[in-house]
Amino acid sequence: MSFNNYRLQLLFRVMLLAITIYFFARINFDPFYRGTYIALGVAILVQVWLLVLLQDRTNKLFLRFLNSVKYDDFTELFKVSAEGKRQRELSLKLNEVMHKFREVRAEKEAHLQYFEMIVQHIGIGIISYKPDGTIMLLNHAAKKLLKVGQLQQVQELETESPELAQGLQLLEHNGKMLVPLKHGADQVNLSVHVMELSILGDRIRLASLQNIQKELEEKEMEAWHNLIKVLTHEIMNSVTPIASLSASAYEELNSYTDTEADEITMLKDELVDVSQCLHTISRRSDGLIKFVNDFRNLTAISLPQLSRFSVNEMLMEMKTLMREQLAQKHVKLQVDVPQDRLLLSADSSMIEQVLINLIKNAIEAVQEQPEPKIILRAYHDERSRISIEVADNGTGMTQEAQTKIFIPFYSTKKTGSGIGLSLSRQIMRLHKGSISVQSELGKGTRFTLRF
């Protein structure tokens, strides 16, 4: 017999069991009722078993629920039975709890994906790794900065930068360091900051990598500008009166030496010497003023007037413009441009000035070569940026010279002022681009402009 109400079903089974036990006890083991005795005993066992099964249904329901929670499986659905109101309520509530678990897990997974997308798309490189060096996360910015693919261990970074690989393992919590990194002609300085976290008892290290090369260059150039302004101001204040006074004194002495007075005739030779000294002072003062004015150009570059032009045509014009100087020095200039036109948005006059300076430097660098040659090339690099190269087969430069070549006043030439390359780098920075150098002693030098 089946009842829809669980309580009535339970009460009925208990009463039936009690009645059966009562009659079983009343027989009192009479041998005459042996068959009835056995039948009642079996009935008691069956009723106890059915009662256990009835109660076991609820236990199994809770066991399925607990197993679902244990194994993080919230797809389980509990059938709403017709055994009574309480059983239906129990099944419905368990289904509600499972649905809530599914919602919470879906929300956590959505948040996790959201934060993973943020980590992958931010501009700062992020590396999450264990103290033993096992990498847990390496975002796109870090891969781009380090120019690596997916890595498993921090130690694998030693091929790119031993200093970085060692620093990531040795830096303490909140430790910082500056790591120079060079990929081909690109020189960057990475600011590395390491934090250590404890998540569920596990130690996790989090390192942020940020390219501060541009900021360093801007601060460096700003410092040079401030220094140049102070120096030129003080020099001009001191030299200008000297130049003016020496020029005036020179003219006045010349007027005396032109007279025929006896006193002047006796001192004429001495006055001529003094006049020549004053003239030399005046001339050198004017030269120093001109020299200082040239340095002022570093701090007086106007903003570029952008226009769209063909890089191919500009390079061919450069070849025509420099033809006479190249012929005089017996230098061959080769221009390599792609068949498709490269269109660049920049200040053409400024870019031409940079190229003229680089080509002139290259002409001087190849003078001692038996077959002096300069290559002027334009192309799209691996990041689809328009790039222009000026390469020569000259004597090359040392590593130390390459690190200082863009510093104002520094020059590898005996007669160089150290202005040209500093000015070129400033022009490229105003165009949101960069200029870099690659050189090897005895094999030549290559300057690369990237826009």
Side-chain angles (χ1 to χ4, degrees):
M1 185 177 182
S2 175
F3 296 92
N4 290 336
N5 193 295
Y6 175 79
R7 289 180 178 178
L8 291 177
Q9 205 176 147
L10 179 62
L11 181 61
F12 173 77
R13 292 182 184 278
V14 171
M15 291 179 60
L16 185 60
L17 179 60
I19 293 172
T20 306
I21 293 173
Y22 172 76
F23 282 109
F24 183 81
R26 286 294 303 268
I27 293 176
N28 198 20
F29 302 102
D30 191 338
F32 182 76
Y33 296 104
R34 180 178 297 174
T36 305
Y37 177 76
I38 293 173
L40 288 174
V42 172
I44 290 173
L45 293 175
V46 171
Q47 290 181 56
V48 170
W49 175 248
L50 292 175
L51 189 61
V52 171
L53 288 179
L54 179 65
Q55 185 61 33
D56 200 40
R57 294 176 191 172
T58 304
N59 293 338
K60 286 183 178 179
L61 201 65
F62 279 110
L63 185 60
R64 285 171 56 196
F65 172 76
L66 294 175
N67 283 333
S68 297
V69 175
K70 178 181 178 180
Y71 296 108
D72 201 23
D73 178 17
F74 303 124
T75 60
E76 185 76 51
L77 287 176
F78 300 96
K79 183 179 179 181
V80 180
S81 66
E83 294 184 352
K85 180 179 178 182
R86 296 299 178 188
Q87 288 293 96
R88 288 196 300 270
E89 287 181 355
L90 178 61
S91 298
L92 289 172
K93 292 299 181 183
L94 289 177
N95 284 334
E96 287 180 7
V97 172
M98 296 297 286
H99 179 69
K100 189 66 177 179
F101 274 129
R102 286 195 296 270
E103 286 184 346
V104 171
R105 185 172 68 176
E107 184 178 354
K108 287 184 176 180
E109 289 178 351
H111 286 167
L112 179 61
Q113 292 179 359
Y114 173 71
F115 288 119
E116 283 183 350
M117 289 182 63
I118 291 177
V119 170
Q120 291 295 341
H121 286 83
I122 58 176
I124 299 176
I126 299 293
I127 303 178
S128 176
Y129 58 100
K130 296 180 180 179
D132 63 359
T134 303
I135 294 178
M136 303 171 63
L137 173 68
L138 184 70
N139 73 344
H140 296 318
K143 294 178 183 178
K144 184 177 178 181
L145 283 173
L146 302 174
K147 297 189 183 299
V148 296
Q150 190 61 42
L151 301 178
Q152 302 298 326
Q153 294 286 331
V154 169
Q155 292 81 353
E156 296 178 41
L157 290 172
E158 290 183 356
T159 56
E160 300 296 328
S161 173
E163 186 178 356
L164 176 61
Q166 185 178 11
L168 290 176
Q169 297 177 77
L170 297 180
L171 281 178
E172 300 294 336
H173 176 64
N174 274 334
K176 297 180 181 180
M177 65 183 299
L178 188 64
V179 179
L181 194 63
K182 190 167 186 178
H183 292 291
D186 295 332
Q187 172 73 36
V188 298
N189 281 280
L190 298 182
S191 174
V192 182
H193 182 200
V194 175
M195 296 179 60
E196 192 165 293
L197 311 172
S198 179
I199 301 177
L200 300 177
D202 294 332
R203 291 170 57 205
I204 303 296
R205 311 194 85 191
L206 191 67
S208 63
L209 313 176
Q210 191 170 5
N211 182 7
I212 60 171
Q213 181 66 26
K214 184 177 180 181
E215 288 78 4
L216 288 176
E217 290 180 355
E218 289 178 352
K219 290 296 182 182
E220 179 187 10
M221 188 56 66
E222 182 181 353
W224 280 114
H225 282 183
N226 293 334
L227 177 61
I228 290 170
K229 287 179 180 178
V230 172
L231 289 177
T232 54
H233 177 74
E234 295 300 326
I235 292 173
M236 291 293 285
N237 285 346
S238 300
V239 173
T240 302
I242 295 174
S244 178
L245 288 173
S246 60
S248 300
Y250 170 70
E251 292 177 358
E252 187 171 350
L253 281 177
N254 278 343
S255 65
Y256 284 134
T257 55
D258 291 339
T259 63
E260 298 297 333
D262 294 338
E263 297 83 356
I264 300 300
T265 302
M266 294 174 60
L267 298 174
K268 191 170 185 177
D269 292 338
E270 288 80 359
L271 291 176
V272 169
D273 290 339
V274 173
S275 176
Q276 289 178 349
C277 291
L278 290 173
H279 179 63
T280 301
I281 293 172
S282 176
R283 184 170 53 83
R284 291 307 303 150
S285 298
D286 290 338
L288 184 57
I289 291 173
K290 182 179 182 300
F291 179 76
V292 171
N293 284 328
D294 288 338
F295 279 112
R296 280 181 169 176
N297 292 333
L298 283 174
T299 61
I301 300 179
S302 59
L303 293 176
Q305 303 298 316
L306 303 182
S307 62
R308 199 170 180 82
F309 60 89
S310 170
V311 176
N312 308 49
E313 294 176 2
M314 182 182 68
L315 296 189
M316 297 307 297
E317 290 175 0
M318 284 290 102
K319 185 175 183 179
T320 303
L321 180 64
M322 304 298 295
R323 181 170 55 190
E324 184 176 348
Q325 295 185 44
L326 292 165
Q328 291 176 355
K329 302 292 184 178
H330 306 288
V331 178
K332 179 183 178 182
L333 176 62
Q334 176 183 331
V335 178
D336 293 337
V337 292
Q339 294 181 353
D340 298 332
R341 294 178 63 195
L342 296 178
L343 296 178
L344 178 63
S345 180
D347 190 315
S348 58
S349 61
M350 284 187 170
I351 304 304
E352 287 174 359
Q353 186 60 46
V354 172
L355 291 175
I356 290 172
N357 181 53
L358 294 178
I359 294 173
K360 284 184 175 180
N361 289 346
I363 291 174
E364 295 184 19
V366 299
Q367 287 302 296
E368 299 179 3
Q369 300 301 316
E371 295 182 1
K373 183 179 181 181
I374 300 172
I375 299 176
L376 194 58
R377 188 164 75 99
Y379 59 94
H380 279 115
D381 68 2
E382 68 279 358
R383 293 171 55 188
S384 298
R385 297 176 298 182
I386 293 180
S387 301
I388 302 175
E389 284 186 0
V390 180
D392 63 65
N393 63 343
T395 55
M397 289 184 288
T398 63
Q399 286 294 329
E400 181 183 2
Q402 292 179 58
T403 60
K404 298 179 179 180
I405 196 70
F406 296 107
I407 296 177
F409 317 135
Y410 180 86
S411 177
T412 58
K413 298 180 293 185
K414 294 181 179 179
T415 59
S417 63
I419 298 177
L421 289 176
S422 300
L423 197 62
S424 298
R425 187 172 71 168
Q426 191 169 352
I427 289 174
M428 290 302 298
R429 186 178 291 115
L430 291 174
H431 284 82
K432 309 299 181 184
S434 65
I435 178 172
S436 58
V437 61
Q438 274 186 301
S439 184
E440 189 174 348
L441 287 174
K443 293 187 177 181
T445 303
R446 180 170 70 249
F447 284 91
T448 305
L449 311 179
R450 289 188 174 89
F451 297 90

